[in-house]
Amino acid sequence: MDLPETPRSGLPLRSRLAAASPWPRKRIVGEAVLALVLCAIAGLLHTTETGSPARGAALALVVAVLSLGRRALPATVLTVASALAATVVGTFPLLICAAWSAGSRIKRPVHASAAFAGGLVLHLVLAVTTSADDELGLSLPMTAVLAGSPFLVLAVVPGLASRYRAQRRDLLAALQRHNAQLVREQAMVARQARLLERQRIAQDMHDSLGHQLALIAVHTGALEVDPDLGDRQREGVGILREASRSAMRELREAVGILRDGVEAPAPGSEDDTGPTTARVAASVDRLVASSRAAGAQVELHRSGTERPLAPAADHAVYRIAQEGLTNAHKHAPGAPITVALRYEPDSLVVEVANGPVPAGAPAGPPAISGGQGLTGLQERARLVGGMVHTGPTPDGGFRLAGVLPYGDGGRRPGPDGATSVAAGDDFRRQTGGGSAGDGGADIERADPQKEFAAIMSSRKNVTLGCALTAVVLVVGAGALLVWGVGKLIDEVEKGVIPASVYESATVGDAEADLRAKFPEGGSLLTDGVEKDGPPLPEDAVCEHFVDDEADIVYRFCFRDGKLVSKESYPHRI
């Protein structure tokens, strides 16, 4: 019956005791102090009762062993403690502790009921057997009641309370595990939905953009070998062909990331389309060179001591410069462009500024813009702890500047070496899960802490209910006390008269006149006071009252409607 749910039931006793529970230091100290207190109480009381220190020390040792073993052998300790409590007065504290441990550690209700029932029967048998030698002469039912009542109060009640506490703790733990499992499953479903959406986007990009870029590459390749073109035109066509090939490579990398959820190939790796371009701050020179080859007036300025950046920030520098050059080419053809990289003490400032469009410059084709480039740059900079500023310049041009911090840029390394965004970052704008007005699908994520707090609020409700019950009991008891005191005062007033009433009464006065001065009804205060006074007159009806200030009894005797005698004598309480 001891620990029936554990698979260690076949192990030796010492192994079971050692494997009962891994105790921290506070628990070890607490158990040691509890064992000392229990054995001291039992030993001192038993020594006082028997007058034998040896027997008291032996009992203290037994109690200490039982106290330390009650967690590993709850049913056994409960049974032994029940037997000791029936014969030794000082072992009742041990019975309380044993019942508390048994109530929480015996898991199956049948086994727990059997343990407590067996302890009760053993306690009653030993109590009845012991009382047979006493001289009190109590009956068997009375002895059973007197012995069983302390057991029910000191053993069954603590056992039930401990069992309720353990079951509630297990229930809350199960709810917390279940909630965590639901959160994990919800995260898996959301991740699966994101992967499916990414695969759909990747397929659309591959089918549409890939086809168009391939056509551009083929046609520019054919134009490049056309003998009717001059060297200047052939050079421009070559630039277009190389740009289309670079766009194709970047498209394939983006499609691969969206489809497979893997990182892009490392800089310098090669595939069937040629070497990939490292999109970092060091590659800004290549962007500037490409723009110059296209006929744009671009200047590059670097200042400060070059310092390393986090990978995400380094990539953001490249994207800011790329977006600034692209916007300048589209919206201000022919305008001079200045690209600046300034390494400040705490951050890197990347700036792309173009002047106004020169007068008489040929207008380019209509600019096609999705309106998301600058928004994406701002999000990139925010995720690494930086910021992006855009706006017109005083001379009529346009300026795009980004400030990016050095180091990890607000990201924290994860346990596997990956970087994670700070807790304050909000990804809903990337996943389309922002407000309802942006058309995105917001995935609700359960907060296990909030849900667990909601579960624990039931405990507060129980506490509030207990407090209200206590208030009701206190108020009821107070009202009952006030009512009782009022009734007591009324009862006393019915038997009390002032001395002036007695002094004003004269033998021969009418009974009706005197009774009008007496209080109505009888009083328990005057019960039996007639025995302390002189003999009562024959054939007379007497009334007794007590003085309201002194301990004096006043007696009035009536016959035939007249006062025939009045007496006063001390009131013996």
Side-chain angles (χ1 to χ4, degrees):
M1 201 180 326
D2 298 319
L3 295 177
E5 285 71 26
T6 60
R8 301 187 296 271
S9 57
L11 297 176
L13 177 61
R14 184 173 60 182
S15 300
R16 294 174 64 190
L17 291 173
S21 65
W23 286 358
R25 292 184 178 180
K26 292 183 179 179
R27 174 57 62 86
I28 293 176
V29 173
E31 290 292 329
V33 172
L34 179 61
L36 290 176
V37 172
L38 294 179
C39 67
I41 294 174
L44 292 175
L45 292 180
H46 194 59
T47 300
T48 303
E49 181 183 4
T50 61
S52 173
R55 296 177 63 179
L59 179 63
L61 179 61
V62 172
V63 169
V65 173
L66 292 176
S67 175
L68 296 176
R70 75 183 191 281
R71 291 171 59 89
L73 305 170
T76 301
V77 173
L78 175 62
T79 304
V80 176
S82 301
L84 289 176
T87 56
V88 183
V89 178
T91 56
F92 268 101
L94 173 65
L95 177 61
I96 298 174
C97 297
W100 179 270
S101 298
S104 60
R105 298 191 64 81
I106 302 178
K107 299 301 182 183
R108 296 184 180 178
V110 176
H111 293 173
S113 301
F116 279 91
L120 176 60
V121 171
L122 183 60
H123 184 82
L124 292 177
V125 170
L126 292 177
V128 171
T129 303
T130 305
S131 65
D133 300 333
D134 295 339
E135 299 179 356
L136 296 177
L138 297 177
S139 62
L140 182 61
M142 183 60 67
T143 303
V145 170
L146 293 178
S149 298
F151 185 88
L152 295 177
V153 174
L154 301 178
V156 176
V157 173
L160 291 176
S162 175
R163 189 168 189 84
Y164 168 76
R165 177 176 176 272
Q167 289 179 347
R168 185 176 182 277
R169 185 175 60 248
D170 295 341
L171 176 61
L172 292 179
L175 289 176
Q176 190 174 14
R177 291 193 302 269
H178 180 64
N179 181 67
Q181 179 65 24
L182 290 179
V183 171
R184 288 194 297 268
E185 292 177 358
Q186 188 178 18
M188 293 173 61
V189 172
R191 182 176 180 274
Q192 185 67 23
R194 288 196 302 270
L195 290 177
L196 292 176
E197 182 65 15
R198 290 172 63 174
Q199 290 179 2
R200 186 188 65 79
I201 296 173
Q203 188 65 37
D204 291 344
M205 291 175 61
H206 180 272
D207 294 342
S208 59
L209 296 180
H211 177 69
Q212 299 297 331
L213 290 175
L215 289 178
I216 293 173
V218 171
H219 286 290
T220 53
L223 286 174
E224 191 175 7
V225 297
D226 190 349
D228 295 336
L229 294 180
D231 293 340
R232 180 66 176 174
Q233 289 81 7
R234 188 174 287 107
E235 182 180 358
V237 171
I239 293 174
L240 292 177
R241 183 171 180 270
E242 183 61 30
S244 64
R245 293 185 62 192
S246 299
M248 179 67 75
R249 285 195 297 268
E250 294 190 9
L251 176 63
R252 294 189 62 183
E253 293 174 8
V255 169
I257 294 174
L258 288 173
R259 178 175 296 171
D260 302 328
V262 298
E263 295 294 335
S269 63
E270 295 186 1
D271 54 15
D272 57 352
T273 61
T276 60
T277 303
R279 296 185 292 272
V280 293
S283 301
V284 174
D285 295 339
R286 191 173 303 159
L287 288 174
V288 173
S290 299
S291 297
R292 289 173 179 172
Q297 303 178 20
V298 184
E299 295 183 2
L300 176 62
H301 302 285
R302 293 178 181 268
S303 62
T305 304
E306 186 174 348
R307 295 178 56 180
L309 292 95
D314 208 5
H315 184 66
V317 172
Y318 180 88
R319 287 304 186 191
I320 292 174
Q322 185 184 46
E323 184 68 19
L325 290 172
T326 301
N327 290 341
H329 293 326
K330 289 192 300 183
H331 302 289
I337 305 173
T338 301
V339 179
L341 296 177
R342 298 197 299 270
Y343 289 89
E344 303 292 345
D346 57 348
S347 60
L348 170 64
V349 179
V350 53
E351 182 182 65
V352 180
N354 62 270
V357 179
I368 302 175
S369 176
Q372 299 296 323
L374 297 180
T375 303
L377 290 182
Q378 292 173 354
E379 185 67 17
R380 284 180 183 273
R382 189 183 66 84
L383 292 178
V384 298
M387 59 181 296
V388 171
H389 172 75
T390 59
T393 59
D395 58 356
F398 192 82
R399 175 176 175 269
L400 169 64
V403 181
L404 303 171
Y406 301 121
D408 56 5
R411 294 196 172 197
R412 300 184 300 272
D416 55 355
T419 58
S420 60
V421 183
D425 292 334
D426 184 6
F427 289 95
R428 288 180 296 175
R429 282 178 288 181
Q430 302 181 64
T431 59
S435 62
D438 57 11
D442 192 3
I443 300 176
E444 288 290 338
R445 293 183 178 273
D447 189 348
Q449 297 297 332
K450 292 182 179 179
E451 187 167 350
F452 186 66
I455 295 174
M456 290 301 293
S457 64
S458 61
R459 182 176 182 180
K460 297 180 180 179
N461 295 335
V462 172
T463 305
L464 181 60
C466 294
L468 292 177
T469 304
V471 170
V472 171
L473 291 177
V474 171
V475 172
L480 184 61
L481 179 61
V482 171
W483 178 82
V485 171
K487 295 295 290 184
L488 180 60
I489 294 174
D490 293 341
E491 188 70 21
V492 171
E493 290 179 349
K494 291 179 181 180
V496 175
I497 63 173
S500 59
V501 175
Y502 176 79
E503 294 173 355
S504 63
T506 305
V507 176
D509 290 345
E511 180 180 359
D513 295 339
L514 288 177
R515 286 190 179 277
K517 301 178 182 180
F518 296 160
E520 297 180 359
S523 174
L524 297 176
L525 187 64
T526 58
D527 287 348
V529 295
E530 67 276 3
K531 299 178 181 179
D532 300 330
L536 297 174
E538 295 181 2
D539 300 331
V541 178
C542 299
E543 296 288 344
H544 297 80
F545 299 97
V546 178
D547 188 86
D548 58 352
E549 295 182 356
D551 293 333
I552 300 175
V553 177
Y554 301 122
R555 185 174 69 187
F556 301 89
C557 296
F558 302 94
R559 184 186 306 118
D560 299 331
K562 299 290 184 178
L563 179 65
V564 295
S565 70
K566 68 173 187 177
E567 301 287 345
S568 63
Y569 51 88
H571 181 206
R572 298 187 180 96
I573 302 176

